[in-house]
Structure formats: structure tokens, C-alpha cells
Amino acid sequence: MFLYIKQKNMKFVYRRSIYETPIEIMFDREYVSTIVNQLYKQNIDDYIITAVNDKKLKSFIEAENKKNKIYKNLNTIQITKIKENENDEIKNILNELSKDSKKLNSKLDDILTKPVYANNVITKSPAISPNNKKSKDDENTFIPQIDTEGMNIKTNIKTEKSITDASSSADVLRELLKGL
Amino acid sequence: MGKGKDVSSVEIKRPICIGLDVGTMNLVCTRSDTNETKITRNVFLPVSSDEIGLSDLSELSHIVNDDGDMFIIGEDAFKFSNIFGQEVRRPMKRGVISSDEIDAVEILTLIIKDLIGDLDGQQAYCTYSIPAEALDSDKSITYHEKIFGRILSSLGINATPLNEAMAVVYSECQSTAFSGIAISTGAGMVNCCTSVKGINVIEFSTEQSGDWIDKNVADSLNMVKNRVTNIKEKHLSLNRDFREHKNKKIRRVLEALGYYYTAMVDNTVNRILKEFEEKVDLDLDEELPIVVSGGTSLPDGFIELFQTEIEKHDIPFEISEIRHATNPMTAVSNGLLIKALATVPK
């Protein structure tokens, strides 16, 4: 993935190694969330994102790609809307550190290593109230009490059709176990 | 005015039996009242609430605990960690519940509840998988076994543990009256057992499995482990020459994966033979099949690699065949379901 976002009046490129941490960002954080969401939904591996009408930036990325021969199947996605208000935190950091690129990289690295996600329907987790009583089953094993009250979540679950007949195997096994 | 209930038509509900494969990378569930097996990633990614600023990622699976800590869970966590070049966190590590993760039990409880689904007030019996003691570690599995029993019990389910490899025997060896050698290659562990007529003669595990491969490849190439896992799942074929791949970086990963896969299989074969030599005193008059299951065995050529490594040794028993489980990802949960069905009164 090659993520490149230009923010109005703030030209700075943060570059990570393409393999281990494959994100290159110029951004504010909410904007990045928007982009990442689009990438996620489209489920594509190699792509470039540029700001709308920024031909210079797009050319630069394409030239970089050609030079480094990193992305064979390049997709260019154009973002249709750029957020107007700039992130104050990022702006301040950039202003403060703009004369020292090493410090700037380091600071941005700190920020970028934190995940960026969007707010969404939040469900409540169970109240876990570990007690200090040891299990009756095993005096040496501490087991927390697990209260599942209020649990209600949705997870990404894949399903596969069962290809063996569990019931008939169970009948054979039941007979076998009887004989033991 | 409502109608009175017709007592004669009240249906007696049979108990639901469940096989739950508790794996380091995947949780797999098979229920007796459906012909579908459900699979989800056993991973999570913590998110700081002060960083959340957008409302359009509504498809994400996530949970928030009472302290306001937020976690992306399952497949979403895996995908997003790859986008951000981060490591996902695991409720389990090396085959057992992780001692590094204070949130592990909460997260596992939530995922398992969702995975098992609605029981509609019916009585439920679940057989869940546990690993054998590892030969290359002194970790106890007692805590792991008891915690999962307690999680299922908290969901109102009667729970019984069963060795993971033995579940593969129940799933795949009916034609040999449940005799065979089963090898379950998961993310955290390789579990092996030898069963003769449904009796578990010997069982053991090693920690040299999928995560061990990924970690060593990642360390060798200075990469994030998730990326190695991703490339492994997308591109690895042990039948093909890694040099055929056009992308240089992927070539390097595939090359390293090949080396560590060979080392893992070699280690597993040696362990099986050593355990047999030291602990098994059986005069077997029948050929045993070797059945391999688990996500780590999925790459093309894995069975051939296993066969090649086996052929390098003198084997103290006759092997009828070496084969993959019918479905390597669901064999354990299917076998667990079979055991639950066989032991719960009809």
C-alpha cells in the first residue's frame, strides 16, 4: 500500500519503509481515517491516493513508483473532498519542528504508530469482576468470574459448509466407547 | 383473546452439541443443529478513544469495556493492523491463554459468545480443544483449560475439554476405527497424538509452528510479523520455486518461509519418532494413517514436504497414507462435535 495525502498549505511527506510499515502520509488524522476506510472497503493491495486536482503530486508519486518499481498494479484513487480545517496538533508540531526534519519525523512517527479508527456503534462489554477465590476444581488455579451480562457484539465470522456427517461418526464412536 | 397452548404439540428440544476449536489464530465452532462451521480470527487491536474521530467505519467489529478501552476484534483487527503496519494483539499465545494480555479473558468471552450464537434456551454441551503439554516448554495448560471451561460455563454451556489432535482423529479416522496419527498444525503449536481404536496412546505438542515460522522470518528480514503472515496466507506454495514470484520483497519472504517450514516439519517428524521410541511400547499389527490438519498446513506442497521428511527416517510402524484432513481448518471443531455427540445421551 502506498498512501499519500496532501493537505492544503501543509507540504510535508512522512515516509516509511515500504515493506515493514507501508504508509506514507501527509495528513491530519481524521482525514487519514477517511482514506483508510476507503482502502479497507475496496480491499486492494497496491494503490496511490492523491488529493483532487493535484497533478504535480500525482506525477511525483507515479515517478517514484516507476523509479522504485514497487507497485506493479497501480491504482490511483482521487479523493473527492478535502477537509478544510487543519488539525491543530499536527499544525503546531509542524510549525515547531519544521526546521529540524529528524525531530519532525520522530514526532510524527510517534503519532502515526497509534491506530486511527472511526467512531461507530459501540456495544458494551461484559463487566468482569475477578475475585480472589481459588477455583473449587483446582486450588492452584486462579480463575476470574466472568459476568456476561450485557454482552452483545458482532464479529466478522466466516462460515464453511460441513463436509462430513458428524452424527454418523458419533454413532460409530459411541459404540466404540461403550466397548472400552 | 389469546389461544390456549396445545400441550400435545409442545416439542421436546434436544440438547445442542457444540465443537469449539480454541486456536491461537482462529476460533472455530461447529454446532449440531446446523451444517455450517463458523470461523473467526482470535485477535484484537486496542484503540485509544481520544483518537477516534470519524463515524463512517460502521462495519467494524469492536468492543468497549467498562473502563472505556476500545478494541477492534477479529478479522477487522487483522486487516487494520496490516494497513497500519502494526502488530495485532492476541488473547492467546503459543497455544494457551496469553499471560501478557490482561484483557484476554474478556475478549475471548465476547468472541466465543458471538461465535457460538443463540442457543434459544436449549441445553448445550460443548467439547472444546486443549493442547497437549509442550515438549519444548514447561508451561502448564491447567489455567488455560479451566478458563475456557469457566467461559463456557458462564454462557450456560456444559463444557468438556479434549486434546486437539485427538479431535482430528475423531473427525478423520472413522474408516480405521479411530486409529491413526493426527497432527494439528496451528499458529501457536503443533499438536500430535497417536490413537489406537479411539484410545489416545500418546500425545504431545511443540511450540515450533505457524507463529514460530512467522516470527523467525520477520526477524530474519526485519519485518513486522503480521506482514509475513499475510504474505504466507496469500502467496506461499511449497511446491513452487519462490524465484518464480515477480516481486523481489515477496520472493525473499517466500524463500525464508520455505526454510522455516522445512525446519518445522523436520522438528515435528523427529519429535514424533523420538516420543514413539521412548514412550510407546505397542506391537502394532495395523498400518496407521497420518492425518495433517490446521492452518499452518494449508500451503500447497505441505503434505509432500511432510512425506519427504518422513521418508528420510526409519519409521517404527507401518504408514498406510499421509493425507490432509478433509477440511484442515475445521477438522478439529468437527472432531470435537463428534465427541460431544457421542458422549451426550441421545
Side-chain angles (χ1 to χ4, degrees):
Chain A
M1 184 180 73
F2 189 95
L3 181 61
Y4 192 106
I5 301 162
K6 176 179 175 290
Q7 181 145 347
K8 196 177 177 183
N9 300 327
M10 196 187 288
K11 291 196 174 183
F12 182 82
V13 177
Y14 179 79
R15 182 162 200 147
R16 292 179 153 183
S17 71
I18 208 69
Y19 215 69
E20 287 79 10
T21 45
I23 303 174
E24 182 168 350
I25 300 175
M26 175 186 265
F27 71 104
D28 86 342
R29 293 185 68 78
E30 282 198 22
Y31 189 26
V32 172
S33 295
T34 310
I35 307 306
V36 168
N37 186 35
Q38 292 197 20
L39 304 183
Y40 178 69
K41 282 179 177 170
Q42 294 186 46
N43 194 27
I44 49 178
D45 287 335
D46 300 333
Y47 33 74
I48 280 177
I49 295 172
T50 68
V52 175
N53 299 327
D54 192 341
K55 290 180 183 172
K56 196 176 171 185
L57 179 61
K58 187 178 164 187
S59 301
F60 166 75
I61 294 168
E62 286 173 347
E64 280 282 292
N65 183 60
K66 196 173 177 183
K67 193 167 65 183
N68 296 323
K69 293 177 181 172
I70 295 167
Y71 304 103
K72 188 170 173 60
N73 301 311
L74 195 65
N75 297 291
T76 301
I77 301 166
Q78 291 217 334
I79 308 304
T80 55
K81 189 179 177 183
I82 300 176
K83 197 173 168 58
E84 287 297 321
N85 58 315
E86 293 166 359
N87 183 300
D88 287 338
E89 185 192 354
I90 301 289
K91 192 177 177 182
N92 291 338
I93 292 165
L94 287 170
N95 287 338
E96 186 186 327
L97 301 173
S98 58
K99 289 178 185 173
D100 187 335
S101 61
K102 276 189 180 175
K103 280 187 183 174
L104 183 58
N105 273 334
S106 167
K107 189 70 182 173
L108 283 171
D109 194 31
D110 286 346
I111 296 165
L112 289 171
T113 49
K114 295 176 187 172
V116 183
Y117 294 111
N119 202 355
N120 106 53
V121 181
I122 293 173
T123 53
K124 197 169 166 58
S125 73
I128 304 288
S129 1
N131 66 16
N132 291 319
K133 289 178 185 172
K134 287 181 178 175
S135 160
K136 287 176 186 172
D137 300 321
D138 186 339
E139 285 299 313
N140 298 316
T141 307
F142 164 73
I143 298 173
Q145 294 293 316
I146 302 156
D147 178 4
T148 59
E149 189 70 27
M151 288 201 320
N152 180 28
I153 63 161
K154 185 189 70 168
T155 53
N156 254 334
I157 295 173
K158 287 191 292 185
T159 57
E160 297 198 13
K161 293 280 179 196
S162 299
I163 40 183
T164 53
D165 182 357
S167 295
S168 69
S169 293
D171 288 339
V172 178
L173 181 59
R174 187 181 291 109
E175 290 306 309
L176 187 69
L177 294 174
K178 271 184 196 169
L180 295 176
Chain B
M1 208 165 98
K3 289 178 182 177
K5 275 190 178 177
D6 179 1
V7 177
S8 64
S9 69
V10 173
E11 191 183 343
I12 298 169
K13 290 181 176 176
R14 298 179 65 174
I16 293 172
C17 291
I18 301 163
L20 179 65
D21 176 11
V22 181
T24 307
M25 179 59 96
N26 291 297
L27 295 164
V28 187
C29 174
T30 309
R31 277 172 54 155
S32 59
D33 58 343
T34 169
N35 63 352
E36 285 185 340
T37 296
K38 297 199 284 184
I39 306 171
T40 193
R41 295 263 190 194
N42 192 3
V43 298
F44 69 102
L45 197 63
V47 186
S48 172
S49 57
D50 58 6
E51 291 173 331
I52 296 167
L54 206 68
S55 59
D56 62 349
L57 291 178
S58 55
E59 296 303 312
L60 276 182
S61 307
H62 70 279
I63 53 174
V64 180
N65 70 11
D66 287 346
D67 297 329
D69 301 323
M70 188 171 178
F71 306 96
I72 310 291
I73 57 173
E75 191 69 31
D76 284 337
F78 195 73
K79 285 183 180 173
F80 269 75
S81 66
N82 279 330
I83 288 174
F84 286 104
Q86 287 191 318
E87 291 283 1
V88 285
R89 282 164 61 182
R90 305 267 193 87
M92 286 172 57
K93 188 178 176 183
R94 293 176 190 159
V96 295
I97 199 156
S98 174
S99 56
D100 300 335
E101 296 290 353
I102 194 164
D103 301 303
V105 177
E106 290 177 81
I107 288 166
L108 280 165
T109 306
L110 288 163
I111 298 176
I112 287 170
K113 187 190 180 208
D114 192 51
L115 190 66
I116 289 175
D118 189 9
L119 295 169
D120 197 23
Q122 285 177 257
Q123 208 173 11
Y125 293 85
C126 176
T127 307
Y128 63 98
S129 63
I130 53 167
E133 300 280 352
L135 297 174
D136 46 4
S137 161
D138 56 2
K139 271 188 310 195
S140 163
I141 62 161
T142 302
Y143 181 75
H144 172 86
E145 179 183 332
K146 299 290 183 187
I147 274 287
F148 280 97
R150 183 60 67 94
I151 286 174
L152 290 163
S153 166
S154 76
L155 299 174
I157 298 167
N158 302 291
T160 314
L162 180 71
N163 175 265
E164 174 181 325
M166 201 58 201
V168 176
V169 171
Y170 290 141
S171 175
E172 305 296 318
C173 298
Q174 188 195 331
S175 61
T176 52
F178 304 107
S179 292
I181 294 174
I183 300 165
S184 175
T185 59
M189 286 178 149
V190 174
N191 269 274
C192 303
C193 83
T194 301
S195 168
V196 179
K197 309 282 186 208
I199 298 171
N200 188 351
V201 178
I202 185 170
E203 65 179 41
F204 65 90
S205 69
T206 79
E207 291 184 352
Q208 282 193 15
S209 195
D211 284 342
W212 177 84
I213 292 171
D214 297 354
K215 183 184 181 305
N216 280 286
V217 172
D219 288 349
S220 302
L221 301 176
N222 192 26
M223 291 173 63
V224 173
K225 190 156 74 70
N226 291 352
R227 292 285 294 170
V228 174
T229 310
N230 204 31
I231 291 169
K232 181 178 77 175
E233 293 182 356
K234 278 186 181 170
H235 301 289
L236 182 63
S237 166
L238 296 165
N239 277 333
R240 282 177 54 197
D241 190 331
F242 65 87
R243 284 169 290 198
E244 289 174 19
H245 206 285
K246 289 174 184 172
N247 184 303
K248 185 179 176 183
K249 289 178 168 61
I250 292 179
R251 276 205 304 274
R252 284 192 181 156
V253 176
L254 295 179
E255 179 184 10
L257 281 168
Y259 297 147
Y260 282 106
Y261 255 90
T262 305
M264 184 270 275
V265 171
D266 184 49
N267 177 61
T268 304
V269 170
N270 280 316
R271 292 281 191 182
I272 291 172
L273 297 178
K274 191 162 181 281
E275 288 297 296
F276 242 90
E277 190 179 307
E278 291 176 358
K279 296 177 185 169
V280 178
D281 185 20
L282 276 177
D283 188 14
L284 290 169
D285 56 0
E286 58 184 318
E287 294 179 329
L288 294 177
I290 296 180
V291 184
V292 182
S293 77
T296 300
S297 74
L298 286 178
D300 287 344
F302 185 88
I303 297 298
E304 290 84 345
L305 175 63
F306 202 91
Q307 187 129 24
T308 305
E309 292 301 315
I310 281 272
E311 284 169 358
K312 291 178 183 172
H313 300 84
D314 286 330
I315 310 296
F317 48 87
E318 293 295 319
I319 299 169
S320 59
E321 60 177 338
I322 300 173
R323 63 178 158 89
H324 242 150
T326 317
N327 183 336
M329 290 301 289
T330 61
V332 172
S333 73
N334 189 56
L336 294 164
L337 174 64
I338 289 168
K339 183 68 193 306
L341 285 164
T343 46
V344 170
K346 266 191 167 179

